[in-house]
Amino acid sequence: MLPGKSTDCGVTAKDNRLFVEAVLWVARTGSPWRDLPESFGPWNSVYKRFARWSDRGVWHRVFTELAKDADFEEVFLDSTIVRAHQHAAGAQKKRGRKRSGARAVA
């Protein structure tokens, strides 16, 4: 599914796994590309490769293939994980003041 096989033209990618790990690190941490640790390589090279894959639809193909085998057997949700928004705590609604009839006539 990934570009860079020996049958592809151009330079073959030997580090697809490292590259995907770098992209996942950026997605997981929410950090800008410039903060990518040096162990993943130059951040600009990683970003350019990410942009090329995005333009060519590689990410879409990968996620479509992975979604075919989605396994939700190990998903556990309970009240310790799922929390309601603070405004959903059940407080009474504030009601507006009613104007007196005397003011309405004037």
Side-chain angles (χ1 to χ4, degrees):
M1 288 188 301
L2 303 178
K5 300 180 294 289
S6 59
T7 57
D8 292 344
C9 61
V11 179
T12 59
K14 298 178 183 176
D15 59 349
N16 274 343
R17 184 182 181 104
L18 183 66
F19 166 67
V20 171
E21 287 291 330
V23 172
L24 291 175
W25 185 90
V26 170
R28 183 174 49 248
T29 62
S31 299
W33 288 101
R34 290 177 188 247
D35 291 345
L36 188 68
E38 291 182 14
S39 59
F40 291 116
W43 71 268
N44 197 28
S45 300
V46 176
Y47 170 74
K48 285 180 182 179
R49 188 169 172 188
F50 171 79
R52 280 195 311 267
W53 281 26
S54 295
D55 292 341
R56 294 179 184 159
V58 174
W59 295 115
H60 183 70
R61 286 194 310 270
V62 168
F63 292 133
T64 301
E65 189 64 31
L66 291 175
K68 290 178 183 176
D69 189 29
D71 183 12
F72 293 112
E73 291 177 5
E74 300 298 324
V75 175
F76 300 106
L77 296 176
D78 61 11
S79 62
T80 60
I81 298 171
V82 180
R83 299 189 182 240
H85 190 269
Q86 63 184 358
H87 295 139
Q92 287 188 338
K93 305 264 187 230
K94 293 183 180 179
R95 294 192 171 88
R97 295 185 308 179
K98 294 183 181 179
R99 295 186 175 250
S100 67
R103 263 195 171 174
V105 173

